[in-house]
Every structure is written in C-alpha cells, then in structure tokens.
Amino acid sequence: MSKKFKVELELTDDGPNSINFEDTYEGLNDEEWYKFSVNEQGGILLQATQEGFEHLARYFLKLSQTDKSDTFHSHHALEFGQENHGEPELTIVVTKNVPDS
C-alpha cells in the first residue's frame, strides 16, 4: 500500500490572461532543473530535479485552479535558460475542450 502525504500550498490567482511565475519558482536555484528532449519518433522525454517537478506542479495547479481564458497559452524553450532561435518549443494551452486529432 502506498503512503499518503498532505500538500499545503498558497499560490497567487493571476487572472484569466496572465501567469505570475514568481511563486512557482520557490526552492529553485540557478542550476539546470529540467530538460525536455524529442526523439526521431516524436517521443518527448522530460527530466527534472525534485525541485523542478515541484515548480511544474505549482505551475500546472495555477493553470487548473485559476479561471484562465480559453486558449490561454505559454511558450517554453525545451532547454531551460536558453533563448529559442527557431528550435522546437513546448507550448502549453488551456482549453475548454480538447480538439479531436
């Protein structure tokens, strides 16, 4: 049987058309904390430190628990801290209905 743990968290409600990352970055330092990579078949690999996963969890909780506008989105480089110069990027979109593929 798995153990349970409780999470208590306070995040800012940033409104429907923006997101404030300041409270999601708590506990991170300037070291690389995550990396996305894509293989030839289109598979995506996400590697993250424990602190990095906490940041991502707070980020996704903000998207799920605040009233974001339909199609609110953000763009992220696949490599933390690097400028995106036409390389692949991760775009995260909040939508009311997931479109058919």
Side-chain angles (χ1 to χ4, degrees), residues 9-10 21-28 51 54-55 58:
L9 187 59
E10 271 190 84
F21 294 100
E22 190 172 321
D23 54 357
T24 68
Y25 280 101
E26 185 177 315
L28 290 178
E51 294 82 10
E54 285 185 19
H55 160 72
R58 288 189 290 266

Side-chain angles (χ1 to χ4, degrees), residues 31-88:
E31 296 174 16
E32 186 174 288
W33 53 271
Y34 80 89
K35 179 179 179 180
F36 285 97
S37 56
V38 181
N39 66 23
E40 310 80 52
Q41 294 80 29
I44 300 170
L45 172 66
L46 167 60
Q47 300 174 63
T49 64
Q50 284 185 307
E51 294 82 10
F53 278 114
E54 285 185 19
H55 160 72
L56 293 170
R58 288 189 290 266
Y59 171 78
F60 284 111
L61 279 170
K62 286 183 89 159
L63 292 179
S64 70
Q65 299 298 311
T66 59
D67 189 26
K68 295 296 180 220
S69 297
D70 193 29
T71 71
F72 173 81
H73 62 283
S74 58
H75 301 274
H76 307 272
L78 296 184
E79 193 73 40
F80 177 70
Q82 291 186 358
E83 293 291 323
N84 190 341
H85 300 285
E87 293 92 4

